[in-house]
Amino acid sequence: MEQLFDSELALLRKKRALMQGDPGARFLMQRAADDLEDRLATVERRFERAAAAFCMTDDAARAIRTSGKTDDITRIEADPAFLEKNGMVADAETLPAEPGSFDLIVSLLSLHEVNDVPGMLSQIRRALKPDGLFLGAMAGAGTLQELREALLAAETELSQGAAPRVSPFADVRDVGGLLQRAGFALPVADLETVTVRYATMFDLMRDLRSMGATSTLAARSRRPATRALFMRAAQIYAERFSDPDGRIRATFNIVWMSGWAPHESQQKPLAPGSAKMSLKEALEKSTESERSACGGLRDWSNLPGRRRCYKTP
């Protein structure tokens, strides 16, 4: 299989970010962990054994523990440096677990850097006991779209060509399909958009370095980027993606996914022809409800649950 990401470089940059220890750069992971705790609160059951897989920090394990859903949590990381106490160490493309080992597995903000996402999801499904739950979050399509556009425009202008500098991300619909392909029952994928504001593009890039989230594309250019490129990109970014107060916007689209290991007790699809309402009637009813919730306007940003995060460095 062709390698999209340089896994060794990704690990090196994450370890470097860990050593830098910038607590302000954990805001995205901490937000994901808080959302994880909220999602676990809606699950009306406890789990005997849970695993937090390749989350890099202890935020996911903390969220599981705070939810009160289990007392047995195993952290799995790609390097001992990420483990404060006991845990398992494994290659980031491999889940070191026997079939049916865990009742709950979570993964926060790491799957978008895995070369074989379908393979990893299949490993997670096999590691779950029947009726076990997987909850994950990964960066989705549209993440850092402003930075991508600014760098592409600047490099095309200065060099008459451009190298990929921002990683590609999966669409939420594709993620839902991957869950089905991996054999999960009752798969669900949804999207949360987080908008973060910065003074300049360089403040955003500093946060990305502190997260260990800079590009590790295997097809990246080996030539060092010039100062002129970044200065021009920052100018284009400010021209196209700034608010009236001069601060720029950065978009993070977080794809949340959930799926259950198959079990005979789970809800089954209805038999063909057993529906009591036509698809047309269902869509009309749904549209009417949306208009009512929006006060007659299709303004999704005002609906409950559509949260935005603004970070001021």
Side-chain angles (χ1 to χ4, degrees):
M1 183 183 68
E2 183 179 355
Q3 299 296 294
L4 182 60
F5 300 104
D6 184 335
S7 299
E8 291 185 6
L9 179 61
L11 179 58
L12 177 64
R13 289 185 173 173
K14 283 179 170 52
K15 289 175 67 175
R16 185 180 301 161
L18 179 69
M19 288 187 290
Q20 290 175 349
D22 180 2
R26 289 177 62 173
F27 71 94
L28 203 60
M29 178 62 77
Q30 290 167 346
R31 179 188 177 91
D34 289 342
D35 286 349
L36 171 64
E37 187 178 337
D38 291 342
R39 289 168 185 264
L40 282 172
T42 66
V43 181
E44 297 180 354
R45 59 171 285 190
R46 281 181 58 83
F47 302 94
E48 184 178 345
R49 293 192 65 203
F54 306 112
C55 299
M56 199 173 80
T57 73
D58 65 348
D59 293 290
R62 170 189 55 79
I64 298 171
R65 189 174 297 106
T66 304
S67 73
K69 297 298 182 179
T70 184
D71 298 318
D72 186 344
I73 306 168
T74 300
R75 286 190 60 195
I76 304 172
E77 296 293 351
D79 193 276
F82 303 126
L83 295 170
E84 298 171 353
K85 296 181 181 179
N86 296 331
M88 303 173 69
V89 177
D91 180 87
E93 303 277 342
T94 305
L95 190 68
E98 294 294 324
S101 299
F102 297 100
D103 303 274
L104 170 68
I105 297 177
V106 303
S107 172
L108 296 187
L109 304 184
S110 64
L111 281 172
H112 55 270
E113 290 185 318
V114 171
N115 282 295
D116 185 10
V117 177
M120 176 57 73
L121 290 175
S122 294
Q123 291 181 63
I124 291 172
R125 201 265 303 157
R126 285 195 299 269
L128 286 169
K129 295 178 182 178
D131 206 31
L133 173 64
F134 166 62
L135 282 171
M138 62 187 287
T143 293
L144 297 176
Q145 59 190 358
E146 303 90 352
L147 180 61
R148 184 196 305 272
E149 182 176 325
L151 287 170
L152 179 63
E155 194 163 16
T156 301
E157 177 183 310
L158 297 176
S159 307
Q160 287 75 53
R165 297 188 181 277
V166 177
S167 300
F169 300 104
D171 183 85
V172 63
R173 290 166 296 184
D174 295 332
V175 172
L178 290 176
L179 289 169
Q180 288 183 313
R181 176 178 169 183
F184 284 100
L186 308 175
V188 176
D190 61 89
L191 184 69
E192 180 181 11
T193 298
V194 181
T195 302
V196 188
R197 306 201 316 148
Y198 290 92
T200 69
M201 185 189 81
F202 298 105
D203 296 300
L204 164 62
M205 293 176 67
R206 184 183 63 237
D207 260 4
L208 293 176
R209 284 193 297 271
S210 296
M211 295 176 192
T214 51
S215 175
T216 57
L217 287 170
R220 68 192 181 281
S221 173
R222 267 40 177 194
R223 292 184 302 172
T226 64
R227 184 174 184 274
L229 169 63
F230 287 124
M231 294 300 294
R232 179 58 182 141
Q235 184 180 15
I236 292 172
Y237 203 130
E239 290 171 353
R240 299 183 183 181
F241 305 109
S242 62
D243 290 329
D245 62 359
R247 298 181 71 80
I248 63 168
R249 303 182 300 277
T251 299
F252 295 88
N253 284 336
I254 308 301
V255 176
W256 277 95
M257 65 201 90
S258 67
W260 297 81
H263 187 266
E264 60 183 10
S265 66
Q266 292 165 351
Q267 182 179 357
K268 302 295 189 298
L270 293 174
S274 62
K276 294 183 172 60
M277 181 184 297
S278 70
L279 177 60
K280 179 182 178 182
E281 291 173 325
L283 291 174
E284 289 175 349
K285 198 167 188 178
S286 175
T287 302
E288 199 63 36
S289 298
E290 290 162 4
R291 288 174 179 161
S292 176
C294 296
L297 299 175
R298 299 284 298 232
D299 183 3
W300 294 98
S301 63
N302 289 330
L303 286 174
R306 294 284 296 187
R307 293 174 292 175
R308 288 178 177 171
C309 171
Y310 294 96
K311 175 174 179 283
T312 304

